[in-house]
Amino acid sequence: RVTPSVQRLVYQPAVLGLASIRFSDRKLGVDESKDYSLLLPSDESAGILSWKDAVPVDVNPRNLEDRPAGDAIFVASLPSKLSSAKSLQKLEDDFADHLYRNESFNLASNPTLKLFARPGESERDFSVRCQQAAREQRDAAVDQIREKYQVKLKRLEDRLVNQQQQLEQDKAEYKGRMGEEVLSGLASVAGALGIFGRKSGSLRGLSTAATKRRLTSSAKADIAEAEADIARQQAEMDDIKSQKEQDADQLTKQWDAAAGGVQSAKIIPKKADIDVQMVVLAWAPAWEMTYEDARGRSRTETVPGYSVAASAQ
């Protein structure tokens, strides 16, 4: 805790600039105005006056005093460089140029979702809005990818049904061929042994039996081929289902990442939208205090007697 031994109100020369800037962007839906108050210290020891050395202050033009406090003193004389109207006019031009080059209106944006924060919208509310938009676009994209794969699966399912029907027909034909082969074999044996009459020495019976056997083998081969086709068809369908889920998961990850892709969009003012209200000589109040430090040495410090804007603290 510091207890000053001497305390007094002093005035220091400065230049006060007040202006208003309109930030407008039809595409972003922005039409905002912002007030600026800059205080530029300007004592005789100052070199080139530059607005980049100015301090943002909380000043309302209506609250400016037109006379000093009775017990205050002026600790510096007015700089010669500010003694003419021409000098102030140049500072006014420089003030407008400084604002044009250094001030902007920033708002959050999400380029992937093509969203921009509304004026006054909090960062949290904008983040929630991005998440909602990402979910909606994610759901639409996933539905689209699943619909595309569903068309392929429907075509394969129809083909699988036909193949299964063909397999049943092949099995029925094989069963019939087996019966014909057995009967043909029995007839050949009976003819050769003369069981039902005269013994036949012809090879016709054996030839017929061999033909039946070939037909039976062909029917059996058809079954094996149909079963292999069905297995391949089912494997292809399983692959497509797996790929469908992989694509859906990938889309989900992409849109979830898009929800967090928040950046800053900057609106640069037009020179015509910078309204310089005043650039004037001003005497800035300050408190000059003399106190002893921890080692007992006398120190004098000067602290501003006005409110510095929060953005400058």
Side-chain angles (χ1 to χ4, degrees):
R1 182 177 180 86
V2 175
T3 301
S5 57
V6 177
Q7 177 176 304
R8 62 178 183 173
L9 180 64
V10 300
Y11 286 104
Q12 300 169 329
V15 177
L16 177 65
L18 303 178
S20 176
I21 301 179
R22 179 188 179 193
F23 298 94
S24 178
D25 190 306
R26 185 177 301 176
K27 179 182 177 182
L28 303 182
V30 174
D31 191 358
E32 296 288 318
S33 292
K34 186 177 179 181
D35 294 328
Y36 292 86
S37 303
L38 299 182
L39 188 68
L40 177 60
S42 309
D43 59 30
E44 192 63 55
S45 64
I48 299 175
L49 294 180
S50 173
W51 285 102
K52 65 180 178 58
D53 299 323
V55 178
V57 291
D58 289 328
V59 172
N60 188 311
R62 294 190 299 271
N63 297 332
L64 293 175
E65 300 287 348
D66 59 359
R67 58 180 56 88
D71 56 349
I73 62 173
F74 294 82
V75 295
S77 59
L78 187 66
S80 58
K81 63 175 71 72
L82 298 179
S83 59
S84 67
K86 183 178 180 181
S87 299
L88 282 177
Q89 183 59 53
K90 184 179 185 308
L91 278 173
E92 183 174 331
D93 295 339
D94 291 345
F95 183 46
D97 187 66
H98 171 78
L99 294 176
Y100 173 70
R101 294 179 182 278
N102 294 279
E103 299 301 330
S104 61
F105 187 89
N106 298 318
L107 72 165
S109 69
N110 190 310
T112 303
L113 299 174
K114 299 180 180 180
L115 291 178
F116 296 89
R118 304 183 182 100
E121 184 176 25
S122 68
E123 183 178 344
R124 181 182 179 278
D125 290 343
F126 179 63
S127 178
V128 170
R129 191 155 60 89
C130 287
Q131 292 172 8
Q132 178 62 30
R135 281 195 296 269
E136 293 174 357
Q137 296 193 44
R138 176 201 64 194
D139 292 345
V142 169
D143 288 344
Q144 186 176 9
I145 199 71
R146 284 179 173 166
E147 183 178 350
K148 182 185 75 173
Y149 277 108
Q150 193 59 40
V151 172
K152 294 182 180 180
L153 286 171
K154 182 63 170 60
R155 186 169 60 249
L156 292 176
E157 287 172 354
D158 292 342
R159 188 185 304 171
L160 180 61
V161 170
N162 292 334
Q163 289 174 336
Q164 289 172 335
Q165 292 175 347
Q166 183 63 46
L167 176 60
E168 294 302 318
Q169 292 175 5
D170 291 342
K171 287 181 177 180
E173 183 178 355
Y174 174 67
K175 185 176 181 179
R177 294 296 184 187
M178 285 285 292
E180 291 177 1
E181 181 181 345
V182 171
L183 292 176
S184 177
L186 291 175
S188 297
V189 171
L193 298 177
I195 295 176
F196 299 107
R198 184 172 61 84
K199 182 186 294 186
S200 173
S202 173
L203 296 177
R204 181 182 304 170
L206 295 176
S207 177
T208 301
T211 300
K212 297 296 184 181
R213 190 174 300 110
R214 285 195 299 272
L215 293 175
T216 301
S217 297
S218 178
K220 186 176 182 180
D222 290 343
I223 291 175
E225 183 178 355
E227 289 176 339
D229 288 342
I230 289 174
R232 285 193 295 270
Q233 193 82 358
Q234 289 175 331
E236 185 177 356
M237 291 175 64
D238 290 340
D239 288 343
I240 290 178
K241 290 177 181 178
S242 177
Q243 187 62 48
K244 178 184 70 173
E245 294 307 316
Q246 290 179 16
D247 289 353
D249 289 343
Q250 184 64 29
L251 282 172
T252 298
K253 292 178 181 178
Q254 289 177 357
W255 285 110
D256 287 347
V262 177
Q263 301 178 8
S264 179
K266 180 182 293 187
I267 300 175
I268 305 298
K270 300 176 183 176
K271 287 189 175 182
D273 290 334
I274 299 176
D275 177 24
V276 176
Q277 299 161 354
M278 66 170 66
V279 172
V280 295
L281 294 175
W283 292 95
W287 288 103
E288 189 177 89
M289 296 179 292
T290 301
Y291 64 96
E292 288 188 359
D293 64 14
R295 296 184 179 181
R297 294 175 299 187
S298 179
R299 292 184 177 275
T300 299
E301 302 285 350
T302 302
V303 296
Y306 47 86
S307 298
V308 177
S311 59
Q313 295 176 348

